[in-house]
Amino acid sequence: MTTRRDQVYRAVARTGPDYVPIYLFNKDQEQSDIVAIGVQHHFMGPKADTSEWGFRWERLDETMGQPVAPVLTSSEDVASLKVPDLAPDWRFAEVPAFVERHADQYRLGSLGLSGFTSMSCLRGFDGLMEDMALCPAAVEALADAVFGFEEQIIVAMAGRGLDAVAFGDDWGTQQGLIISPASWRRIYKPRYAAQFALAHQHGMQVYFHCCGKIDPIIPDMIEIGVDLLNLSQPNLYDIAELGRRYGGQVCFVCPVSYQTTSILGTPDEIREDVRLLVEHLGRFNGGLVGYVEEYHTIGMSDANYEACVEAFRTLGRYRPADS
């Protein structure tokens, strides 16, 4: 029997799954083709407000919030950064039951926030940007600590029944990359390449979430081995051009855009956004996974949530690569 897990693998490999799989991120997860469990804890403690790295969160609503203050107040503090314990009792304690409960679904081991995003929480975004210009050695040292710890987690994930490592690292503004492509390639690309290689070496795929517009580095991400690329704001892209340039090279994971259609759109507009995604990214006998996140905190109605799910369910059929 073909499982939902099989369908996702076939979508990634572009070998003709029966339908476009859907990742229901935070609601109706038993109906989702993809599920996730955290293996790095940024939201923990008595009030779920403290990362294992030591930074604390402040929330004014039901969103993830913002770090209250950087752990590292200067570039000199990087040298004394305390890296978390790799193997506390809780890190993988729930994984066996999770794998058993979701036996027919594709299972992500999620780092939650990762890489550059974790670095910016530790140092503060402004401080990290200043360090890139004034103290590049401190940035390299911080990257080594954060990416190196994540590499240890990736290795420890092996053999636990998880299908992919999920990274959460936002690189885009609404207009383009946060830093120059040259700086990204010099500092971060080699570290991602090492992490992705480790995941593949240990039998896991790579799921990478990124908000914002990241056109310049999509070819780099494909080159170093991303398997599922979650572009969370497809409204920032020309979807037809995205398909022409990169379709058939990676499996895109895309929602109906959070900030526009999924919040303010009509059911017909939601269906049209999904139709474009399927037509241009799903015409490679695979290569697309639909993504739906319940987002009432920023104005998504129940009706629009259901419309997003229904649109992917009814329109989510692939075309052969040569059609």
Side-chain angles (χ1 to χ4, degrees), residues 41-42 49-57 69-71 82 84 122:
H41 289 209
H42 287 300
D49 62 359
T50 306
S51 165
E52 62 176 304
W53 281 96
F55 51 83
R56 294 182 60 254
W57 295 93
V71 173
K82 181 174 174 23
L122 283 164

Side-chain angles (χ1 to χ4, degrees), residues 156-177:
M157 286 171 61
R160 297 180 185 271
L162 299 170
D163 297 297
V165 183
F167 299 81
D169 210 356
D170 294 337
W171 274 110
T173 69
Q174 305 301 288
Q175 291 78 39
L177 279 187

